[in-house]
Structures are given as structure tokens and as C-alpha cells.
């Protein structure tokens, strides 16, 4: 018989089945052709079987690493576990995806990158907001030259969450707080658009009553001809513009968040015809030199593209969708931001 030999699916283990594992990883891993979600590590095996009947639940991470058929391990765990679990998976000969942020320190990230290269394994970090509708639209407007030379860039992650939930992200622990969470997304997006900044200036606060971790950040990343402002907090009753990007030809302003997260939380996913499509009422506006505003159709988002890229990288056809070096640079900027806040100064990279 003629024709190409079908490519074997990549048997994958998802480690962690909390909100992130259930909402941001499992639906995409089960959708992408060429990836087979075959194992889930969770302390609640009954929950795994109820939601993913075709998967084998494990309660032991070490046990799943012993399964020779598992090629890819996806870590959806608290930040403090990223380094240790990624290292164990690489030492076991598995390709690895780590939920963002990559690690707590850049030294840990550097060690994991060296280990993956030594082992000849693929290592990537799940910075899914590279595939947001609004960010892809900003990138398209910049790449096409419609904004001209960009001199000002603002990205907001403002929310109103005055109550402390007690989740690990809000504990007084390494890697907790909004900077490692939402801030990591904003930093990664800025790196995609502008590369590594020359300097970092930051103000970090613990604003809410009884809060233990950073819940407000204001970063200024300094570039040769542009300042990038990344802002986020948990006490804003109005989110403000999501992106406000100004060049010498036009300014683009958009409000609201990408719809994919809400779609996933509602049980939708990439198989839906409206997946990744932003409603016309949510499109951003491009303001020309005369101040006239024109709605700009948003680019179609697609978080599943991350795992399609990971599949292609493992099968040898492409680079990983997010390079670990980029993800390490995000951690370096977080470290610089912490130092800037502590010493009340600009930190030069």
C-alpha cells in the first residue's frame, strides 16, 4: 500500500488536575491531533476518570515517569514545584512543558535549559497569552507598520478581587503574588514585541487587607525609543484599557480580556466554530493622525496552537512554541523588578 506512514501520536501525561489542568491544558491536549492525553497525575483519581474516562489516573508522579510510552510531561503545578518536577521529568527522558512562570529563579531556569540540551529533549513554557486575540492584533498592527514607530506601550491586568482566597498564589512564599502570575504574561508579551529591555523600574505593593503576597505591580521596561508600562492590581473596579499602544502614525486602544478563558471555563473549546473569535463589540479602535477612530477586527486567538507547536517540535519539524530562553528572560525581569522595588532604583540589564 502506498501513502505516508501515519505519525505516531505523542502520549502525554498531565501532572496536576486543579483549575489550570482542567481548564487550560486538558481540553487543548485532547483536541490537538497528534497528541494523546493518556495519563493524569492527581490526588483525585475519581475526578480524573469522571472527566477524562480514556485517561489512566496516577497518584504518583514518579510512577508516571516510569511509563516508557509517555513522551511528553505537562506540569500544571504550584510555582514552587516547577523546577523540581521538570528536572525529574527531564532526567527520566521526557519532553517537558512547564506552566508559566517557568521557575522561581533564573538560575533554576538556566539549569533546566542546560539539562534539556544535554539530554536532547524539548522544553517549553506555557505562555498561552501569546495566542490572545488582542495581543495578536497588537502584533499585527506593529508588524504591518500601521502604528508607525511605537513610542509608548501600556498593558493592564487590572481586576477587582478585594477578598483574599487563601490559595497558594496568595501565600507569603517564593513565586507567589500577581507579578509571577499576570505580570509574567505581560513581560512575555513585551519580550515578543520588543526584545530584552535595557532597564527595569518597578513598584510592587501589598494593597489588600490581610494580603501576604504582592497584589499590585507597576513596571517600566526601558527600550531605546520606547517605554513599556506593565500594570496590574486586584483593587480596580474598572479595568481600564487592556492595551494602549501609540506610534507616530496611530494609536490602538482595546478593552476587555480575550474570550478563550471564559469559553474554556464554560466547557467550550477549540472545536467550537466561535473559538478564539472576539465579538465585534469588543474590537479595539485605531486612532489616526486626525484622531479619527476606526474599529479593527481582532485576530483570531488559539491557545491550542501552543500544543500543535509542541507536537511539531517533538517530531522534529519546528522549534518549540515558546523558547525556554525567552521564559528564563521573563524570570530575570521579575528578579530585576523585585530588586528595583527593594532598592527604589532603576535596574539595568
Amino acid at each position: 500500500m502506498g501513502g505516508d506512514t501515519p505519525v505516531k501520536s505523542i502520549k502525554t501525561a498531565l501532572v496536576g488536575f486543579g483549575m489550570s489542568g482542567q481548564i487550560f491544558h486538558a481540553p487543548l491536549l485532547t483536541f490537538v491531533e497528534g497528541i494523546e492525553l493518556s495519563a493524569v497525575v492527581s490526588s483525585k483519581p475519581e475526578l480524573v476518570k469522571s472527566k477524562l474516562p480514556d485517561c489512566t489516573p496516577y497518584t504518583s508522579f514518579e510512577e508516571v515517569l516510569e511509563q516508557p510510552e509517555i513522551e511528553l510531561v505537562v506540569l500544571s503545578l504550584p510555582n514552587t514545584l516547577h523546577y523540581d518536577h521538570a528536572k525529574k521529568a527531564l532526567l527520566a527522558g521526557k519532553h517537558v512543558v512547564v506552566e508559566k512562570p517557568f521557575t522561581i529563579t533564573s538560575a533554576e531556569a538556566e539549569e533546566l535549559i542546560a539539562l534539556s540540551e544535554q539530554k536532547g529533549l524539548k522544553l517549553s513554557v506555557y505562555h498561552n497569552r501569546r495566542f490572545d486575540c488582542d495581543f495578536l492584533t497588537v502584533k499585527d498592527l506593529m508588524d504591518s507598520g500601521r502604528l508607525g514607530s511605537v513610542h509608548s506601550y501600556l498593558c493592564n491586568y487590572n481586576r477587582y478581587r478585594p477578598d483574599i482566597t487563601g490559595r497558594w498564589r496568595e501565600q507569603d512564599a517564593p513565586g507567589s503574588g500577581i507579578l509571577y502570575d499576570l505580570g509574567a504574561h505581560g513581560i512575555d508579551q513585551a519580550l515578543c514585541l520588543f526584545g530584552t529591555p535595557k532597564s527595569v523600574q518597578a513598584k510592587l505593593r501589598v494593597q489588600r487587607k490581610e494580603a501576604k503576597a504582592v497584589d499590585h505591580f507597576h513596571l517600566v521596561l526601558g527600550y531605546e525609543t520606547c517605554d513599556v508600562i506593565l500594570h496590574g492590581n486586584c483593587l480596580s473596579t474598572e479595568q481600564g484599557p487592556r492595551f494602549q499602544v501609540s506610534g507616530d502614525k496611530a494609536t490602538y486602544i482595546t478593552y476587555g480580556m480575550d474570550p478563550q478563558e471564559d469559553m474554556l471555563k464554560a466547557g467550550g473549546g477549540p472545536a467550537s466554530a466561535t473559538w478564539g473569535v472576539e465579538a465585534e463589540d469588543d474590537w479595539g479602535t485605531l486612532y489616526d493622525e486626525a484622531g479619527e477612530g476606526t474599529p479593527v477586527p481582532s485576530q483570531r486567538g488559539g491557545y491550542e496552537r501552543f500544543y500543535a507547536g509542541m507536537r511539531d517540535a517533538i517530531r522534529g519539524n519546528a522549534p518549540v512554541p515558546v523558547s525556554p530562553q525567552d521564559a528564563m528572560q521573563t524570570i530575570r525581569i521579575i528578579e530585576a523588578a523585585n530588586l528595583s522595588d527593594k532598592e527604589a532604583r532603576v535596574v539595568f540589564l
Side-chain angles (χ1 to χ4, degrees), residues 50-349:
S50 69
K51 292 184 175 288
L52 299 168
D54 294 332
C55 283
T56 303
Y58 291 85
T59 54
S60 164
F61 176 58
E62 285 71 22
E63 187 180 358
V64 88
L65 293 183
E66 293 171 359
Q67 308 308 311
E69 71 276 9
I70 298 292
E71 290 187 70
L72 172 64
V73 169
V74 176
L75 301 175
S76 179
L77 297 166
N79 298 349
T80 50
L81 301 177
H82 288 186
Y83 163 75
D84 178 66
H85 281 60
K87 185 175 181 178
K88 286 179 178 177
L90 290 168
L91 288 171
K94 312 300 185 186
H95 306 290
V96 177
V97 168
V98 185
E99 175 61 83
K100 71 90 197 109
F102 188 3
T103 49
I104 306 296
T105 70
S106 57
E108 291 174 337
E110 199 164 12
E111 183 183 337
L112 292 177
I113 291 169
L115 180 58
S116 68
E117 291 174 349
Q118 175 195 330
K119 291 280 199 176
L121 295 165
K122 303 298 182 183
L123 172 64
S124 191
V125 179
Y126 187 67
H127 276 290
N128 61 310
R129 295 208 174 272
R130 289 190 181 194
F131 305 95
D132 276 356
C133 305
D134 47 17
F135 174 70
L136 291 171
T137 306
V138 169
K139 189 174 187 304
D140 180 68
L141 289 169
M142 288 179 60
D143 290 346
S144 65
R146 293 177 70 185
L147 297 174
S149 179
V150 171
H151 53 76
S152 303
Y153 174 98
L154 168 67
C155 171
N156 277 314
Y157 276 104
N158 296 326
R159 305 182 293 187
Y160 189 63
R161 295 187 180 175
D163 298 324
I164 309 300
T165 65
R167 295 172 61 208
W168 63 263
R169 285 191 174 89
E170 296 185 333
Q171 300 300 313
D172 181 13
S176 64
I178 193 175
L179 179 59
Y180 271 95
D181 184 19
L182 299 178
H185 283 309
I187 293 167
D188 178 70
Q189 289 173 331
L191 289 172
C192 285
L193 296 175
F194 302 101
T196 303
K198 294 183 176 296
S199 63
V200 178
Q201 187 172 13
K203 186 63 187 176
L204 310 177
R205 297 185 187 274
V206 181
Q207 289 189 327
R208 294 173 294 174
K209 292 179 182 178
E210 300 181 11
K212 297 177 181 178
V214 168
D215 57 8
H216 167 105
F217 65 85
H218 186 87
L219 272 58
V220 180
L221 309 184
Y223 292 86
E224 195 72 53
T225 59
C226 177
D227 280 332
V228 168
I229 297 170
L230 307 176
H231 184 90
N233 67 65
C234 299
L235 283 177
S236 289
T237 55
E238 167 55 41
Q239 293 181 353
R242 175 78 179 89
F243 287 103
Q244 182 169 321
V245 188
S246 295
D248 56 10
K249 290 184 180 178
T251 292
Y252 175 72
I253 302 176
T254 187
Y255 292 82
M257 292 297 293
D258 178 276
Q260 292 173 89
E261 180 173 344
D262 285 342
M263 289 178 179
L264 288 167
K265 285 178 176 176
S272 165
T274 58
W275 169 253
V277 176
E278 197 160 59
E280 192 170 337
D281 289 348
D282 296 326
W283 291 353
T285 303
L286 190 69
Y287 295 90
D288 63 17
E289 291 134 315
E292 294 292 325
T294 305
V296 177
S298 295
Q299 297 286 308
R300 186 167 192 161
Y303 294 164
E304 76 284 358
R305 295 177 208 165
F306 175 89
Y307 280 114
M310 199 66 198
R311 172 202 62 206
D312 293 345
I314 290 170
R315 289 298 178 240
N317 302 324
V320 292
V322 175
S323 79
Q325 289 82 5
D326 280 359
M328 178 172 65
Q329 201 73 320
T330 292
I331 305 304
R332 283 184 170 150
I333 291 172
I334 288 174
E335 290 173 331
N338 283 319
L339 181 62
S340 170
D341 177 72
K342 181 181 178 181
E343 299 185 355
R345 67 179 178 91
V346 176
V347 174
F348 291 92
L349 300 177

